[in-house]
Amino acid sequence: MIEFVSEKNAIKIGIFGVGGGGGNIINHMIETEIKGVDFYSINTDRQALSLSLAPNKIQIGVSLTGGFGSGDDPEIGRKAGEESQEKLREIATGYDLAFLIACLGGGTGSGASPLIAKILKQSGALVAAIVTKPFHFEGEIKLHRALRSLQELRNHIDTRMVIANDKIVEYYGSKFYGEAFRCVDATITEAVKGVVDLIHTPQTINIDFADFRQVMSERGLSLMSVGIGMGQGRAKEAAVQALASPLLDSGNVAGAKKILINVTGDEKMTMKEVETVCTTITEKVNKKTLIRFGCGKDKNLRDRIKVTIVATGMEEKLEDYLDFDGIIKDLETVMPVRRGGKIDKNNINIPAFLRLRQEID
Amino acid sequence: MARPNRIGVIDIGFTKIAGLAAEEESPGKIKVIGFGQVFPEGFKNGIVVNLERALSTLRSLLEKIEINDIRFKKLLVYVGINGNYIRYIKSEANIKRKKPQEQVSEKEIRQVKREAQSVRLPPEEKPLHLVPLSYTLDDTQGIQTPLDFTNCHKLAIKALLVHCRSMVLANLNQLLDRLEIRRRRFVYQPLALPLTITEPEEKENGIGIIDIGGWTTVGIYKDGELQHAGLLEIGSEEITNDLIYGLRVKKDTAIAVKEKYGATKSYVADKDEVIPLPETASEEKGILRRIIAEITEIRLEEILLKGRNEIDTQGYSHALLSGVVLTGGTAKIPGVAALATHILGMPVRVATPDGVAENFKDPQLATLLGLAKFGLSGLYKKYALIEDDDLFSRFRRFFKKIFRLGEEE
């Protein structure tokens, strides 16, 4: 048994928190004790790093910023990343799966994330970015920065989960200032933990890294979510909860090209319950969606059922960028990026704003 | 006969076909008496692609022009043409004068011109115009018109021979025949383009015209004459397409948005100005005007860069003393002159036709009105090909004139 587990652990997972926000989220993850992963906190700000719980603290742009942070300037964030490219390349090697976690809208997170994603991708990892968009009260400039960064990011990653902070707060209702951020952290942690457990824990109908990679190969937006149900009707409850996660909105799941469902329960979990979970979820998606199903036992669950969903290949919904009033405010939002293949810069039949506006390689 | 000279014009553009009947009110003033424009169905890129449709397109155009008892078909009609089927070559020729002491005669000038136009063209090509650039007498260059000069042994000419694919012209001829427009003259648009939008002096000093229509025409004029005309296969259509793509709207909407709100970035002062979008497939309700500007500007920039490239490769980057004039529908986009000044690095203005009634002062109509002026001021003769001068040809012309059969008046 021990041998078996260690074999599973051969899948190396790295979680990279970039910038202040990203750092906070992985602190939360470390507190929640996600096992079998390496944590990295990457920041320009020495002070923020010193407070980090991550075992690996990577300070970037030391000579550029003097360790005082990026001053909320994405340009500095980007340059800091470039300055420390060698160091980043070193830590990025050897991972099969990398989660890049950042809160976009600030300096380091928005500026350095695209570069770090690129380096991770080049090192051969499957890269999943989990990023948040700023609260609406943080202003238009921040939102613009976040979208810009996202636009760059999506060229270098396999899948991305974009979370609007506003949605989460809306979901949890009114909270104190600090608590609102806490909610964001908790939601992401829960999702990542679900996926990591899935990969690391062997079960009856197993889902492993290969499955995960297969699902992730469907690029675009993805959603990860966990739901837990208890007592009578626990199956239904777990499924509904997973679907109702603030990271998922049911309209989105409907458009998923691939979906991975994992059901874990105690020894008393019945086949009927497993079926209930699956039908509840598959009812929401369309018939063409590829469904990968996994099922396992976990004694620790005690009377509960846990459902993990990973859905990928969702169409990007324009309204995610519409800044809540239905007005397009950024050109990036109307620039779908084609998978693979370069745009021919001299082909005048392709809209000029697609060809000539690309500042990134 | 005190009746003023009246002519007809049909301008075959890339996104529209326009036509008018006009007469000269006073020198330099054009009085438009009938006007119409239609969507060029049956045409593509200035070429007839479907004879039947093209015919009905022209019919509906004539219906629009023929008000106030204008009998368009009876007029001498100037047909403006342009397209990638028209090209020019630089041609030089010279003759040795038999009697050097005598004055240079009309006949000798015709002779040297005929010499210049007798370039062997591929069989599918047909000469259209001979644009005389300058004459050289003995070794003295740059003579504008050598008529009546004496004491010279050699008469030489530098000219542009404009030629076109004869099939395309034959199709147009067939159309005009079927419309019973018997008297017609084809005019290469760049020859007429500057007439209502530039001063003669500017043409002397050197001026470029970038006419951004469905496609973009770049004309270079210096020493009073057309020196080069190039056609860029990019123009307003591309801007429209970009907006269709970027805004996810239908073509009509895109055109309306372009005409109403299209601008360059620096022109949009209010950063938060919102343009409502009609209901479309997606769910957006509106768009910031500066995004429309961004989409528009980047395409404009591309067009202008190509225009600059055209000017540069012809070697006129610093030779256009009077700068560049922008015209065509796209020149109406606010802020385009400033953008062009920046890109071209020379003075740029947007030109509106001069010497016409207020409602025709539209950059979009520069070519059409230029053609009218071209016809009214009798410029056609200047660029006309020289016909054979033997007795037989003269007879043929004479009869043609009597029975009004040919394309020449």
Side-chain angles (χ1 to χ4, degrees):
Chain A
M1 187 67 187
I2 288 164
E3 255 180 48
F4 192 35
V5 170
S6 76
E7 191 189 305
K8 272 230 139 186
N9 273 341
I11 303 297
K12 278 193 77 184
I13 302 175
I15 299 184
F16 300 81
V18 186
N24 286 340
I25 295 171
I26 69 164
N27 279 349
H28 194 277
M29 289 180 179
I30 294 164
E31 282 169 358
T32 325
E33 294 182 334
I34 298 184
K35 298 264 169 54
V37 294
D38 296 340
F39 287 102
Y40 291 90
S41 186
I42 302 170
N43 208 340
T44 48
D45 188 344
R46 195 191 302 127
Q47 208 174 0
L49 272 181
S50 69
L51 293 174
S52 169
L53 304 176
N56 309 297
K57 298 169 189 175
I58 314 294
Q59 194 185 348
I60 55 169
V62 183
S63 64
L64 182 74
T65 65
F68 293 117
S70 64
D72 219 23
D73 182 353
E75 192 58 19
I76 297 201
R78 189 176 62 79
K79 284 189 181 142
E82 278 166 7
E83 183 192 313
S84 310
Q85 260 191 63
E86 285 314 305
K87 209 196 286 180
L88 291 170
R89 226 171 272 281
E90 217 171 277
I91 60 160
T93 44
Y95 287 101
D96 300 295
L97 171 63
F99 288 99
L100 186 124
I101 295 167
C103 294
L104 300 182
T108 311
S110 311
S113 293
L115 181 76
I116 296 172
K118 192 174 160 189
I119 290 172
L120 284 166
K121 190 78 216 148
Q122 282 169 351
S123 317
L126 184 72
V127 185
I130 303 178
V131 295
T132 67
K133 286 196 303 180
F135 290 99
H136 73 274
F137 57 74
E138 291 181 90
E140 186 125 326
I141 295 173
K142 284 216 164 195
L143 183 69
H144 179 92
R145 266 187 212 155
L147 292 174
R148 213 179 172 73
S149 175
L150 194 58
Q151 166 72 12
E152 279 185 57
L153 251 179
R154 56 185 186 177
N155 292 328
H156 305 303
I157 54 184
D158 291 281
T159 188
R160 61 189 183 280
M161 194 158 105
V162 183
I163 299 148
N165 282 353
D166 289 293
K167 260 192 191 167
I168 293 183
V169 173
E170 202 179 291
Y171 180 81
Y172 288 108
S174 60
K175 293 264 174 166
F176 297 114
Y177 173 75
E179 235 173 301
F181 285 103
R182 205 79 183 151
C183 290
V184 177
D185 298 352
T187 317
I188 296 172
T189 303
E190 202 178 287
V192 171
K193 190 172 189 304
V195 171
V196 171
D197 286 350
L198 208 60
I199 294 170
H200 281 338
T201 324
Q203 38 180 33
T204 332
I205 302 174
N206 198 19
I207 286 179
D208 60 12
F209 183 61
D211 298 308
F212 189 70
R213 176 156 48 200
Q214 217 272 325
V215 173
M216 283 300 168
S217 70
E218 197 60 58
R219 290 180 159 221
L221 274 182
S222 65
L223 295 157
M224 304 170 206
S225 166
V226 176
I228 291 177
M230 236 183 117
Q232 275 253 297
R234 57 185 184 167
K236 183 95 179 168
E237 192 188 332
V240 167
Q241 199 189 334
L243 284 171
S245 157
L247 305 182
L248 278 170
D249 84 48
S250 50
N252 272 342
V253 184
K257 295 219 173 69
K258 288 178 184 164
I259 189 164
L260 192 150
I261 305 167
N262 193 61
V263 191
T264 335
D266 60 1
E267 278 138 336
K268 286 177 213 146
M269 182 170 72
T270 61
M271 196 59 211
K272 183 81 190 155
E273 281 173 323
V274 175
E275 193 198 321
T276 309
V277 169
C278 289
T279 46
T280 310
I281 295 167
T282 49
E283 267 170 14
K284 297 270 182 187
V285 300
N286 68 45
K287 288 194 180 100
K288 284 181 188 160
T289 309
L290 184 84
I291 294 164
R292 178 72 180 85
F293 164 73
C295 182
K297 278 185 289 192
D298 184 352
K299 271 182 264 171
N300 301 330
L301 276 174
R302 256 187 246 134
D303 215 27
R304 283 174 294 185
I305 282 185
K306 190 169 110 182
V307 175
T308 310
I309 303 176
V310 179
T312 58
M314 259 86 61
E315 291 291 321
E316 207 148 349
K317 260 196 152 183
L318 203 66
E319 70 187 25
D320 291 344
Y321 295 113
L322 282 179
D323 194 24
F324 326 115
D325 54 4
I327 306 296
I328 303 173
K329 295 203 171 161
D330 201 282
L331 189 54
E332 269 80 7
T333 61
V334 292
M335 290 172 66
V337 167
R338 216 170 63 143
R339 233 183 285 161
K342 274 197 175 153
I343 293 181
D344 177 4
K345 289 210 167 180
N346 296 317
N347 185 350
I348 59 163
N349 294 323
I350 301 170
F353 66 93
L354 291 183
R355 278 178 293 131
L356 309 173
R357 220 171 158 277
Q358 287 194 323
E359 289 116 317
I360 39 166
D361 56 350
Chain B
M1 275 213 308
R3 196 170 65 100
N5 182 19
R6 187 180 279 190
I7 58 151
V9 174
I10 295 175
D11 176 30
I12 300 173
F14 298 108
T15 48
K16 64 167 179 19
I17 295 181
L20 55 74
E23 50 191 43
E24 193 162 30
E25 205 170 21
S26 58
K29 279 239 168 225
I30 301 165
K31 189 181 171 194
V32 178
I33 20 190
F35 167 78
Q37 54 181 338
V38 289
F39 180 78
E41 210 177 328
F43 292 83
K44 191 169 192 220
N45 304 333
I47 294 175
V48 179
V49 289
N50 183 329
L51 274 169
E52 289 311 315
R53 282 204 191 148
L55 190 66
S56 65
T57 299
L58 290 183
R59 281 224 169 90
S60 64
L61 174 70
L62 295 199
E63 268 169 35
K64 287 185 181 175
I65 303 172
E66 288 185 323
I67 45 159
N68 306 335
D69 287 334
I70 301 163
R71 290 188 300 166
F72 193 80
K73 291 170 185 177
K74 298 290 167 220
L75 299 176
L76 171 59
V77 176
Y78 289 85
V79 183
I81 52 174
N82 196 0
N84 53 14
Y85 64 95
I86 307 182
R87 299 223 173 83
Y88 72 86
I89 44 174
K90 286 187 176 152
S91 175
E92 290 181 23
N94 61 68
I95 53 166
K96 242 200 173 101
R97 301 189 62 219
K98 284 172 190 141
K99 292 171 185 163
Q101 304 309 320
E102 285 186 11
Q103 290 181 326
V104 174
S105 66
E106 292 261 15
K107 197 178 165 192
E108 278 172 312
I109 296 175
R110 276 212 301 277
Q111 196 184 341
V112 75
K113 275 187 170 177
R114 197 177 313 125
E115 212 47 51
Q117 80 188 34
S118 64
V119 179
R120 187 184 285 266
L121 293 171
E124 69 275 16
E125 293 285 309
K126 187 181 170 183
L128 186 65
H129 296 291
L130 186 76
V131 183
L133 298 178
S134 73
Y135 295 89
T136 307
L137 285 176
D138 292 341
D139 279 331
T140 310
Q141 294 185 350
I143 289 164
Q144 291 180 345
T145 166
L147 190 67
D148 295 347
F149 279 50
T150 61
N151 285 314
C152 55
H153 296 261
K154 207 173 89 179
L155 172 62
I157 186 174
K158 279 184 189 164
L160 303 181
L161 181 65
V162 181
H163 59 92
C164 65
R165 215 171 302 142
S166 37
M167 180 271 287
V168 181
L169 213 55
N171 278 340
L172 286 174
N173 267 320
Q174 195 190 134
L175 279 180
L176 295 168
D177 278 341
R178 285 163 77 174
L179 288 167
E180 293 169 340
I181 296 173
R182 295 258 175 259
R183 297 158 67 212
R184 63 222 175 202
R185 288 168 165 178
F186 290 105
V187 181
Y188 182 38
Q189 285 168 358
L191 290 174
L193 180 60
L195 297 178
T196 58
I197 53 173
T198 60
E199 302 286 328
E201 195 200 308
E202 291 177 319
K203 266 170 84 179
E204 205 61 48
N205 296 339
I207 194 163
I209 300 181
I210 301 181
D211 175 12
I212 313 176
W215 275 352
T216 303
T217 308
V218 180
I220 294 170
Y221 304 83
K222 201 171 166 70
D223 300 329
E225 202 42 81
L226 174 74
Q227 303 289 338
H228 169 77
L231 186 62
L232 312 172
E233 298 183 7
I234 183 173
S236 60
E237 196 82 341
E238 274 67 30
I239 301 178
T240 308
N241 289 346
D242 288 4
L243 289 172
I244 293 174
Y245 189 93
L247 273 49
R248 293 149 201 210
V249 292
K250 289 188 182 135
K251 187 167 183 173
D252 294 345
T253 317
I255 291 175
V257 164
K258 179 178 77 174
E259 285 177 358
K260 211 162 171 196
Y261 305 110
T264 59
K265 278 190 277 182
S266 55
Y267 181 84
V268 182
D270 181 2
K271 293 270 173 274
D272 299 321
E273 186 180 350
V274 173
I275 307 303
L277 290 176
E279 231 171 285
T280 55
S282 39
E283 292 149 30
E284 63 267 39
K285 288 177 268 176
I287 187 164
L288 282 185
R289 189 176 180 189
R290 63 183 162 82
I291 294 176
I292 296 174
E294 204 160 335
I295 293 174
T296 315
E297 174 165 331
I298 198 152
R299 182 63 93 167
L300 270 175
E301 204 174 293
E302 184 177 36
I303 296 170
L304 290 166
L305 276 172
K306 282 183 189 290
R308 180 176 86 179
N309 188 37
E310 188 79 15
I311 293 170
D312 286 353
T313 49
Q314 292 299 320
Y316 284 89
S317 356
H318 301 289
L320 301 175
L321 305 182
S322 293
V324 164
V325 164
L326 292 181
T327 188
T330 304
K332 289 191 282 187
I333 292 177
V336 68
L339 179 71
T341 307
H342 187 66
I343 290 171
L344 299 167
M346 44 181 128
V348 176
R349 66 181 164 88
V350 172
T352 34
D354 205 23
V356 289
E358 212 50 53
N359 51 337
F360 288 102
K361 291 195 170 171
D362 182 342
Q364 210 174 329
L365 301 174
T367 307
L368 181 74
L369 294 164
L371 285 164
K373 196 162 181 185
F374 187 92
L376 289 170
S377 53
L379 266 174
Y380 185 79
K381 286 241 153 58
K382 188 176 167 191
Y383 302 114
L385 297 167
I386 306 299
E387 305 211 13
D388 290 336
D389 224 11
D390 55 63
L391 201 61
F392 174 70
S393 313
R394 272 198 250 171
F395 261 119
R396 206 180 51 185
R397 278 209 297 281
F398 176 71
F399 283 114
K400 262 192 179 175
K401 199 169 175 179
I402 288 178
F403 297 113
R404 283 185 171 167
L405 290 171
E407 36 190 280
E408 297 299 321
E409 191 187 18

